[in-house]
Protein backbone atom coordinates (compact mmCIF):
# COMPACT_ATOMS: atom_id res chain seq x y z
CA UNK A 1 0.00 0.00 0.00
CA UNK A 2 1.57 3.27 -1.14
CA UNK A 3 0.39 6.25 0.89
CA UNK A 4 1.23 9.93 0.58
CA UNK A 5 0.60 12.64 3.18
CA UNK A 6 -0.78 15.93 1.85
CA UNK A 7 -0.20 18.54 4.58
CA UNK A 8 -1.71 21.99 4.46
CA UNK A 9 -3.60 24.72 6.23
CA UNK A 10 -6.63 24.27 3.96
CA UNK A 11 -7.96 27.60 5.23
CA UNK A 12 -10.31 26.92 3.52
CA UNK A 13 -9.90 23.97 1.14
CA UNK A 14 -10.38 24.92 -2.53
CA UNK A 15 -11.00 22.96 -5.72
CA UNK A 16 -7.30 23.56 -6.44
CA UNK A 17 -6.31 21.56 -3.34
CA UNK A 18 -8.83 18.87 -4.23
CA UNK A 19 -7.51 18.53 -7.75
CA UNK A 20 -3.99 17.86 -6.41
CA UNK A 21 -5.27 15.17 -4.02
CA UNK A 22 -7.28 13.45 -6.77
CA UNK A 23 -4.37 13.61 -9.19
CA UNK A 24 -2.11 11.94 -6.60
CA UNK A 25 -4.58 9.05 -6.34
CA UNK A 26 -3.46 8.01 -9.82
CA UNK A 27 -0.03 7.11 -8.40
CA UNK A 28 -0.82 6.33 -4.75
CA UNK A 29 -3.31 3.96 -3.10
CA UNK A 30 -4.00 6.40 -0.33
CA UNK A 31 -3.80 10.19 0.02
CA UNK A 32 -3.92 11.37 3.62
CA UNK A 33 -4.87 15.04 3.85
CA UNK A 34 -3.38 16.43 7.03
CA UNK A 35 -4.93 19.61 8.35
CA UNK A 36 -2.25 21.54 10.19
CA UNK A 37 -3.01 23.02 13.56
CA UNK A 38 -0.26 25.63 13.44
CA UNK A 39 -0.46 28.60 15.74
CA UNK A 40 2.17 30.51 13.78
CA UNK A 41 -0.24 31.09 10.89
CA UNK A 42 -3.28 33.10 11.83
CA UNK A 43 -6.09 30.94 10.53
CA UNK A 44 -9.44 32.24 9.27
CA UNK A 45 -11.19 29.07 10.36
CA UNK A 46 -10.50 26.96 13.43
CA UNK A 47 -8.67 23.68 12.94
CA UNK A 48 -11.92 21.78 13.57
CA UNK A 49 -13.79 23.87 10.98
CA UNK A 50 -11.03 23.39 8.41
CA UNK A 51 -10.95 19.65 9.16
CA UNK A 52 -14.75 19.33 8.83
CA UNK A 53 -14.80 21.20 5.51
CA UNK A 54 -12.07 18.93 4.07
CA UNK A 55 -13.78 15.80 5.40
CA UNK A 56 -17.09 16.73 3.84
CA UNK A 57 -15.41 17.68 0.57
CA UNK A 58 -13.78 14.25 0.12
CA UNK A 59 -16.70 12.19 1.34
CA UNK A 60 -17.23 9.30 -1.04
CA UNK A 61 -13.80 9.60 -2.70
CA UNK A 62 -12.20 6.19 -2.21
CA UNK A 63 -8.58 6.47 -1.14
CA UNK A 64 -8.63 9.94 0.44
CA UNK A 65 -8.51 10.17 4.23
CA UNK A 66 -8.42 13.25 6.45
CA UNK A 67 -6.63 13.83 9.75
CA UNK A 68 -5.55 16.82 11.78
CA UNK A 69 -2.43 17.13 13.84
CA UNK A 70 -0.91 19.35 16.50
CA UNK A 71 2.46 17.77 15.89
CA UNK A 72 5.03 17.59 13.14
CA UNK A 73 4.09 16.38 9.68
CA UNK A 74 7.20 14.18 9.50
CA UNK A 75 6.17 12.42 12.71
CA UNK A 76 2.70 11.83 11.34
CA UNK A 77 4.14 10.38 8.14
CA UNK A 78 6.42 8.10 10.11
CA UNK A 79 3.48 6.93 12.21
CA UNK A 80 1.47 5.88 9.19
CA UNK A 81 4.54 4.29 7.61
CA UNK A 82 5.26 6.51 4.63
CA UNK A 83 8.00 8.94 3.67
CA UNK A 84 6.11 10.66 0.85
CA UNK A 85 4.78 14.21 1.21
CA UNK A 86 2.56 15.79 -1.44
CA UNK A 87 2.54 19.50 -2.34
CA UNK A 88 0.90 21.50 -5.09
CA UNK A 89 2.70 24.02 -7.26
CA UNK A 90 0.91 26.95 -8.90
CA UNK A 91 3.72 29.32 -9.82
CA UNK A 92 7.30 30.47 -9.14
CA UNK A 93 6.34 31.81 -5.72
CA UNK A 94 5.07 28.36 -4.69
CA UNK A 95 8.22 26.75 -6.08
CA UNK A 96 10.45 29.02 -4.06
CA UNK A 97 8.36 28.51 -0.89
CA UNK A 98 8.38 24.75 -1.42
CA UNK A 99 12.16 24.71 -1.77
CA UNK A 100 12.49 26.29 1.66
CA UNK A 101 9.82 24.01 3.14
CA UNK A 102 11.64 20.96 1.78
CA UNK A 103 14.93 22.16 3.21
CA UNK A 104 13.42 22.60 6.67
CA UNK A 105 11.66 19.27 6.45
CA UNK A 106 14.86 17.48 5.47
CA UNK A 107 16.57 18.91 8.53
CA UNK A 108 13.99 17.00 10.57
CA UNK A 109 13.92 13.87 8.45
CA UNK A 110 16.18 13.36 5.50
CA UNK A 111 14.28 10.32 4.24
CA UNK A 112 11.21 12.36 3.25
CA UNK A 113 10.49 12.37 -0.46
CA UNK A 114 8.43 15.21 -1.90
CA UNK A 115 5.88 14.63 -4.64
CA UNK A 116 5.02 17.85 -6.49
CA UNK A 117 1.97 18.16 -8.67
CA UNK A 118 1.44 21.15 -10.90
CA UNK A 119 -1.88 22.97 -10.71
CA UNK A 120 -3.97 22.95 -13.88
CA UNK A 121 -4.65 26.16 -15.84
CA UNK A 122 -8.18 26.07 -14.46
CA UNK A 123 -7.16 26.16 -10.80
CA UNK A 124 -3.70 27.70 -10.67
CA UNK A 125 -5.15 31.13 -9.94
CA UNK A 126 -7.01 29.97 -6.84
CA UNK A 127 -5.75 30.48 -3.32
CA UNK A 128 -7.50 30.27 0.05
CA UNK A 129 -6.79 34.00 0.47
CA UNK A 130 -8.49 34.86 -2.81
CA UNK A 131 -11.51 32.73 -1.93
CA UNK A 132 -11.81 34.48 1.42
CA UNK A 133 -11.67 37.91 -0.22
CA UNK A 134 -14.24 36.95 -2.85
CA UNK A 135 -16.62 35.48 -0.26
CA UNK A 136 -16.36 38.61 1.87
CA UNK A 137 -17.12 40.76 -1.17
CA UNK A 138 -20.19 38.62 -1.84
CA UNK A 139 -18.79 37.18 -5.09
CA UNK A 140 -19.77 33.75 -6.40
CA UNK A 141 -17.24 31.13 -5.24
CA UNK A 142 -19.31 28.06 -6.09
CA UNK A 143 -17.12 26.92 -9.01
CA UNK A 144 -13.92 27.35 -7.02
CA UNK A 145 -14.61 25.54 -3.75
CA UNK A 146 -16.40 22.41 -2.58
CA UNK A 147 -19.98 22.75 -1.34
CA UNK A 148 -18.84 22.40 2.29
CA UNK A 149 -16.88 25.67 2.04
CA UNK A 150 -19.66 27.55 0.29
CA UNK A 151 -22.09 26.49 3.02
CA UNK A 152 -19.69 27.56 5.77
CA UNK A 153 -19.36 31.07 4.31
CA UNK A 154 -23.11 31.34 3.93
CA UNK A 155 -23.48 30.57 7.64
CA UNK A 156 -21.13 33.39 8.62
P1 LIG B 1 0.40 25.67 3.64
O1 LIG B 1 0.04 26.64 4.72
O2 LIG B 1 1.06 24.43 4.14
O3 LIG B 1 1.10 26.26 2.45
P2 LIG B 1 -2.00 25.56 2.00
O4 LIG B 1 -3.33 25.04 2.42
O5 LIG B 1 -1.90 27.00 1.68
O6 LIG B 1 -1.03 25.14 3.15
O7 LIG B 1 -1.47 24.75 0.76
C1 LIG B 1 -1.21 23.38 0.83
C2 LIG B 1 -0.56 22.94 -0.47
O8 LIG B 1 -1.49 23.07 -1.55
C3 LIG B 1 0.65 23.77 -0.87
O9 LIG B 1 1.60 22.92 -1.47
C4 LIG B 1 0.09 24.74 -1.89
O10 LIG B 1 1.06 25.18 -2.80
C5 LIG B 1 -0.95 23.87 -2.57
N1 LIG B 1 -2.02 24.63 -3.20
C6 LIG B 1 -2.75 25.64 -2.69
N2 LIG B 1 -3.66 26.11 -3.58
C7 LIG B 1 -3.49 25.36 -4.70
C8 LIG B 1 -4.10 25.37 -6.00
N3 LIG B 1 -5.04 26.23 -6.34
N4 LIG B 1 -3.68 24.45 -6.90
C9 LIG B 1 -2.69 23.59 -6.57
N5 LIG B 1 -2.07 23.54 -5.38
C10 LIG B 1 -2.45 24.41 -4.46
Amino acid sequence: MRAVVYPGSFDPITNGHLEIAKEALKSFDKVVMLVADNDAKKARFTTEERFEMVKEAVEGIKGIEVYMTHGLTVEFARKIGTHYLLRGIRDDADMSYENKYAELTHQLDNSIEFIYIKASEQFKGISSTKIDEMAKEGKDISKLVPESVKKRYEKR
Side-chain angles (χ1 to χ4, degrees):
M1 159 84 67
R2 260 163 63 95
V4 63
V5 177
Y6 183 18
S9 310
F10 306 112
D11 188 28
I13 180 169
T14 70
N15 287 344
H17 289 124
L18 265 184
E19 179 187 50
I20 299 298
K22 285 184 193 160
E23 199 57 35
L25 269 186
K26 293 179 184 166
S27 321
F28 287 86
D29 303 302
K30 197 157 83 173
V31 174
V32 182
M33 297 185 72
L34 185 64
V35 180
D37 181 16
N38 48 354
D39 295 332
K41 268 198 169 183
K42 230 178 146 9
R44 302 174 187 100
F45 293 97
T46 65
T47 312
E48 283 73 21
E49 285 174 324
R50 290 183 277 128
F51 173 76
E52 287 303 326
M53 284 187 280
V54 177
K55 237 184 128 55
E56 208 181 313
V58 302
E59 220 173 69
I61 306 179
K62 210 170 157 271
I64 303 187
E65 293 178 6
V66 190
Y67 288 86
M68 51 183 165
T69 183
H70 304 278
L72 293 171
T73 301
V74 292
E75 272 167 19
F76 181 88
R78 211 175 288 146
K79 233 176 1 201
I80 68 159
T82 186
H83 58 270
Y84 293 110
L85 292 191
L86 173 66
R87 301 288 287 174
I89 306 276
R90 286 161 294 187
D91 51 23
D92 289 351
D94 271 356
M95 195 93 95
S96 152
Y97 177 83
E98 292 302 333
N99 273 331
K100 287 188 204 105
Y101 178 66
E103 239 171 67
L104 284 175
T105 303
H106 284 145
Q107 282 171 19
L108 297 170
D109 185 339
N110 208 21
S111 74
I112 293 288
E113 274 200 54
F114 279 92
I115 308 295
Y116 297 109
I117 296 183
K118 211 167 148 262
S120 67
E121 281 300 314
Q122 190 188 356
F123 293 127
K124 73 175 188 191
I126 308 180
S127 65
S128 301
T129 306
K130 197 173 266 176
I131 292 298
D132 191 63
E133 282 167 10
M134 286 176 71
K136 282 176 179 154
E137 288 165 8
K139 291 189 179 143
D140 183 16
I141 56 168
S142 53
K143 288 199 174 66
L144 308 176
V145 294
E147 187 63 25
S148 58
V149 173
K150 198 176 157 234
K151 276 195 302 194
R152 183 74 58 165
Y153 273 111
E154 280 165 2
K155 265 200 236 159
R156 284 197 154 181

